[in-house]
Amino acid sequence: KDKGSGMVRKAEELCEKNGWFLCHQFETEANWKFHEATTGPEICNDFKDKQLDYWVTGYGTGGTYHGAGKYIKANRPEVKIVLAEPEAAALIDSGVATERNEDGSPAVSHPAFAAHPIQGWTPDFIPLVLEQGLDQKLHDEYVKIPSTASVETSQLLARNEGILCGISGGATMWAAIEAAKKAPEGSVLLAMLPDTGERYLSTPLFANIDADMNEEELEIAKSTPGYQLLPVEA
């Protein structure tokens, strides 16, 4: 019931009790500055003297959007930035600000938040790092991701393209596809898929894949005489 803000409170408790270091990744300027110094330049270097019309991203802490977005806008102002978030947790679209403690951490859960399947994206508050990027009006377009789109697109990428990405990667690709539908013909879009599907074996991403072989797979196994790993009869 405590959601992402409860996660933050728990981390605070553990650090206070054990003397651990609390990163404050949702608040620290080191987050977005790192992306301004690395991710943004990497994108611009990869597209040096090449066409790039759109950069599509979601947000977790907001560091990539803020830092890379700031660098891209400063060095490639013609590039349009598309920011995406889950339809079920459209915090940015709500126009409601996050209530904060003195250190910038969330004081309460955001009223627009509801559970969504995109793990690592959009906690139940607008991170300070993200808010500071939003204040700079870095993005040009905004996309809401329907609840089933992220998992379905991840599965399609694996099935059709051989790209095994995580759920957030599927969400980013879905947003990029939607942006491409509206973009002028010949536009070049960049959508980064930094996570791998191997981390999601126990999540809804693999829920429709049976642990045991189905009948079709069993028939393939039986089609040659040797090395048949068949289920044991009860």
Side-chain angles (χ1 to χ4, degrees):
K1 67 181 178 66
D2 293 319
K3 298 168 255 187
S5 51
M7 165 192 70
V8 173
R9 300 285 88 83
K10 185 64 175 180
E12 291 171 348
E13 288 180 356
L14 289 168
C15 288
E16 183 177 357
K17 180 178 186 298
N18 298 286
W20 296 345
F21 175 72
L22 186 63
C23 294
H24 282 289
Q25 70 266 33
F26 296 103
E27 295 87 42
T28 179
E29 65 178 13
N31 182 339
W32 67 263
K33 283 187 174 181
F34 191 82
H35 288 286
E36 184 184 28
T38 59
T39 312
E42 181 178 355
I43 291 170
C44 289
N45 287 339
D46 284 349
F47 285 89
K48 185 178 181 180
D49 301 323
K50 298 177 183 177
Q51 180 182 352
L52 178 61
D53 301 296
Y54 294 84
W55 175 55
V56 185
T57 185
Y59 69 88
T61 65
T64 304
Y65 161 73
H66 182 165
K70 185 177 180 180
Y71 187 92
I72 290 169
K73 281 299 183 183
N75 292 274
R76 294 286 298 265
E78 77 280 9
V79 175
K80 292 181 172 61
I81 296 177
V82 182
L83 181 61
E85 69 178 347
E87 188 173 58
L91 277 57
I92 296 171
D93 194 47
S94 73
V96 178
T98 286
E99 297 180 34
R100 303 193 184 282
N101 298 313
E102 289 185 6
D103 63 358
S105 64
V108 296
S109 182
H110 196 286
F113 180 84
H116 63 84
I118 311 175
Q119 298 180 18
W121 271 27
T122 314
D124 67 318
F125 55 90
I126 297 174
L128 183 62
V129 169
L130 173 66
E131 183 179 286
Q132 292 168 340
L134 294 172
D135 289 344
Q136 298 177 58
K137 300 185 178 357
L138 296 172
H139 65 282
D140 304 277
E141 298 182 16
Y142 166 85
V143 176
K144 285 192 280 192
I145 313 289
S147 291
T148 61
S150 54
V151 170
E152 290 172 352
T153 306
S154 297
Q155 292 171 340
L156 284 171
L157 283 168
R159 187 179 304 119
N160 297 340
E161 306 296 336
I163 299 173
L164 184 63
C165 71
I167 296 172
S168 58
T172 304
M173 181 58 73
W174 190 90
I177 292 170
E178 291 303 300
K181 291 176 182 177
K182 302 173 185 176
E185 186 174 352
S187 294
V188 175
L189 294 86
L190 169 63
M192 301 187 303
L193 313 180
D195 206 357
T196 99
E198 294 170 348
R199 300 180 181 183
Y200 295 83
L201 294 175
S202 60
T203 73
L205 184 58
F206 289 89
N208 63 348
I209 300 176
D210 294 330
D212 297 320
M213 288 189 287
N214 58 33
E215 290 299 320
E216 182 182 3
E217 291 165 337
L218 283 170
E219 287 305 312
I220 294 172
K222 294 175 183 177
S223 66
T224 61
Y227 313 103
Q228 296 183 5
L229 187 63
L230 303 179
V232 178
E233 298 293 335

